[in-house]
Amino acid sequence: MYDQPRPNASQTAMTFDQMLERVRYEGAYPTRERAAEAVHHVLAALGRQISGDERIDLAQCLPVEAALTLTAQIPDAEPLTGWGFVKDLAARTGATPATTRWDTGAVLSVVTRLAGPDLLARILRGLPGGYALLFGQAELPRPQPASA
Protein backbone atom coordinates (compact mmCIF):
# COMPACT_ATOMS: atom_id res chain seq x y z
CA MET A 1 0.00 0.00 0.00
CA TYR A 2 2.76 2.48 0.87
CA ASP A 3 4.74 1.93 -2.31
CA GLN A 4 1.81 2.79 -4.57
CA PRO A 5 2.15 6.14 -6.33
CA ARG A 6 0.06 9.01 -5.05
CA PRO A 7 -2.65 10.26 -7.43
CA ASN A 8 -1.22 13.80 -7.54
CA ALA A 9 2.34 12.82 -8.38
CA SER A 10 4.11 15.38 -10.52
CA GLN A 11 3.44 15.00 -14.22
CA THR A 12 6.88 16.31 -15.16
CA ALA A 13 9.82 15.30 -13.01
CA MET A 14 12.30 18.08 -12.43
CA THR A 15 15.77 17.90 -10.93
CA PHE A 16 16.81 20.36 -8.26
CA ASP A 17 19.19 22.01 -10.72
CA GLN A 18 16.33 22.46 -13.18
CA MET A 19 14.16 23.86 -10.42
CA LEU A 20 16.85 26.38 -9.49
CA GLU A 21 17.23 27.47 -13.10
CA ARG A 22 13.46 27.88 -13.41
CA VAL A 23 13.29 29.94 -10.20
CA ARG A 24 16.29 31.97 -11.36
CA TYR A 25 14.47 32.75 -14.60
CA GLU A 26 11.12 33.51 -12.88
CA GLY A 27 12.74 35.75 -10.27
CA ALA A 28 15.30 37.31 -12.64
CA TYR A 29 18.01 36.49 -10.11
CA PRO A 30 21.59 37.31 -11.11
CA THR A 31 23.03 34.05 -9.75
CA ARG A 32 22.01 30.48 -9.15
CA GLU A 33 23.02 30.89 -5.50
CA ARG A 34 20.47 33.69 -5.05
CA ALA A 35 17.77 31.46 -6.55
CA ALA A 36 18.78 28.60 -4.23
CA GLU A 37 18.55 30.93 -1.24
CA ALA A 38 15.02 31.96 -2.25
CA VAL A 39 13.98 28.32 -2.77
CA HIS A 40 15.22 27.24 0.66
CA HIS A 41 13.71 30.21 2.52
CA VAL A 42 10.30 30.00 0.85
CA LEU A 43 9.98 26.21 1.05
CA ALA A 44 11.01 26.21 4.71
CA ALA A 45 8.34 28.84 5.41
CA LEU A 46 5.77 26.86 3.42
CA GLY A 47 6.71 23.74 5.38
CA ARG A 48 5.66 25.56 8.55
CA GLN A 49 2.21 26.22 7.06
CA ILE A 50 0.99 22.98 5.47
CA SER A 51 0.50 19.56 7.02
CA GLY A 52 -1.20 16.23 6.44
CA ASP A 53 -1.60 14.52 3.09
CA GLU A 54 -1.09 17.77 1.20
CA ARG A 55 2.36 18.14 2.74
CA ILE A 56 3.27 14.55 1.83
CA ASP A 57 1.90 14.84 -1.69
CA LEU A 58 3.67 18.15 -2.31
CA ALA A 59 6.96 16.73 -1.07
CA GLN A 60 6.58 13.87 -3.56
CA CYS A 61 6.19 16.37 -6.41
CA LEU A 62 9.36 18.28 -5.56
CA PRO A 63 12.98 17.39 -6.24
CA VAL A 64 14.53 15.60 -3.22
CA GLU A 65 16.54 18.61 -2.02
CA ALA A 66 13.47 20.85 -2.11
CA ALA A 67 11.29 18.19 -0.44
CA LEU A 68 13.79 17.88 2.40
CA THR A 69 13.67 21.64 2.99
CA LEU A 70 9.86 21.57 3.04
CA THR A 71 9.54 18.58 5.36
CA ALA A 72 12.32 19.56 7.77
CA GLN A 73 9.96 22.15 9.27
CA ILE A 74 7.40 21.49 11.98
CA PRO A 75 3.99 22.82 10.92
CA ASP A 76 2.67 25.71 13.00
CA ALA A 77 -0.46 25.01 15.04
CA GLU A 78 -2.19 28.04 13.49
CA PRO A 79 -1.26 28.78 9.85
CA LEU A 80 -0.60 32.40 8.96
CA THR A 81 -2.61 34.32 6.38
CA GLY A 82 -0.91 34.94 3.05
CA TRP A 83 0.22 38.41 4.14
CA GLY A 84 1.29 37.03 7.54
CA PHE A 85 3.37 34.43 5.68
CA VAL A 86 5.22 37.18 3.77
CA LYS A 87 5.75 39.33 6.89
CA ASP A 88 6.99 36.36 8.94
CA LEU A 89 9.40 35.27 6.21
CA ALA A 90 10.68 38.84 5.80
CA ALA A 91 11.33 39.06 9.54
CA ARG A 92 13.14 35.69 9.58
CA THR A 93 15.36 36.54 6.60
CA GLY A 94 15.93 40.25 7.28
CA ALA A 95 14.57 41.16 3.84
CA THR A 96 11.91 43.72 3.02
CA PRO A 97 8.32 42.55 2.54
CA ALA A 98 8.55 43.58 -1.14
CA THR A 99 11.65 41.46 -1.74
CA THR A 100 10.12 38.58 0.19
CA ARG A 101 6.91 38.80 -1.86
CA TRP A 102 9.02 38.70 -5.04
CA ASP A 103 10.96 35.65 -3.82
CA THR A 104 7.75 33.91 -2.77
CA GLY A 105 6.15 34.46 -6.17
CA ALA A 106 9.23 33.21 -8.05
CA VAL A 107 9.46 30.01 -6.01
CA LEU A 108 5.76 29.25 -5.69
CA SER A 109 5.16 29.74 -9.42
CA VAL A 110 7.50 26.78 -10.00
CA VAL A 111 5.93 24.81 -7.13
CA THR A 112 2.51 25.43 -8.73
CA ARG A 113 3.64 23.78 -11.96
CA LEU A 114 5.14 20.83 -10.11
CA ALA A 115 2.12 20.29 -7.88
CA GLY A 116 -0.54 20.51 -10.56
CA PRO A 117 -4.02 22.00 -10.25
CA ASP A 118 -5.65 19.30 -8.11
CA LEU A 119 -3.01 19.26 -5.39
CA LEU A 120 -2.73 23.04 -5.46
CA ALA A 121 -6.48 23.34 -4.92
CA ARG A 122 -6.27 20.99 -1.92
CA ILE A 123 -3.35 22.95 -0.46
CA LEU A 124 -5.17 26.26 -0.86
CA ARG A 125 -8.35 24.89 0.74
CA GLY A 126 -6.32 24.01 3.84
CA LEU A 127 -4.69 27.43 4.19
CA PRO A 128 -6.13 30.76 5.36
CA GLY A 129 -6.89 33.49 2.81
CA GLY A 130 -4.20 35.20 0.79
CA TYR A 131 -2.19 32.21 -0.42
CA ALA A 132 -3.77 31.87 -3.86
CA LEU A 133 -2.14 35.12 -4.96
CA LEU A 134 1.23 33.92 -3.67
CA PHE A 135 0.86 30.83 -5.88
CA GLY A 136 -0.10 33.00 -8.86
CA GLN A 137 -3.79 32.05 -8.73
CA ALA A 138 -6.95 34.15 -8.50
CA GLU A 139 -8.13 34.67 -4.93
CA LEU A 140 -11.76 33.60 -5.01
CA PRO A 141 -14.03 34.45 -2.09
CA ARG A 142 -14.67 31.53 0.20
CA PRO A 143 -18.31 30.61 0.80
CA GLN A 144 -19.60 31.78 4.15
CA PRO A 145 -21.52 29.31 6.29
CA ALA A 146 -25.26 29.95 6.36
CA SER A 147 -26.55 31.49 9.57
CA ALA A 148 -29.03 29.47 11.53
Side-chain angles (χ1 to χ4, degrees):
M1 179 167 155
Y2 290 105
D3 47 341
Q4 293 178 357
R6 293 283 213 181
N8 281 311
S10 175
Q11 299 299 322
T12 307
M14 184 181 285
T15 67
F16 189 63
D17 287 338
Q18 291 169 327
M19 182 181 191
L20 290 181
E21 285 306 315
R22 196 81 195 117
V23 169
R24 183 177 179 194
Y25 175 80
E26 293 290 333
Y29 297 118
T31 65
R32 201 160 173 265
E33 291 74 25
R34 178 63 184 91
E37 181 181 298
V39 166
H40 288 295
H41 286 276
V42 172
L43 289 179
L46 186 61
R48 290 188 291 274
Q49 301 305 307
I50 61 174
S51 60
D53 287 342
E54 289 74 24
R55 179 184 174 96
I56 294 165
D57 292 346
L58 180 58
Q60 289 180 336
C61 294
L62 299 173
V64 172
E65 298 89 336
L68 290 173
T69 299
L70 177 85
T71 58
Q73 305 303 310
I74 297 171
D76 291 341
E78 287 294 319
L80 300 168
T81 64
W83 176 236
F85 176 89
V86 171
K87 289 192 309 186
D88 180 65
L89 184 53
R92 288 173 185 263
T93 62
T96 66
T99 300
T100 303
R101 175 60 183 92
W102 182 269
D103 291 349
T104 300
V107 173
L108 294 184
S109 69
V110 176
V111 170
T112 295
R113 282 188 224 120
L114 290 170
D118 294 338
L119 176 55
L120 182 60
R122 287 177 31 224
I123 290 169
L124 291 174
R125 275 195 301 273
L127 291 169
Y131 281 89
L133 293 173
L134 297 178
F135 281 94
Q137 307 294 304
E139 184 79 35
L140 301 174
R142 296 175 187 223
Q144 299 298 318
S147 346

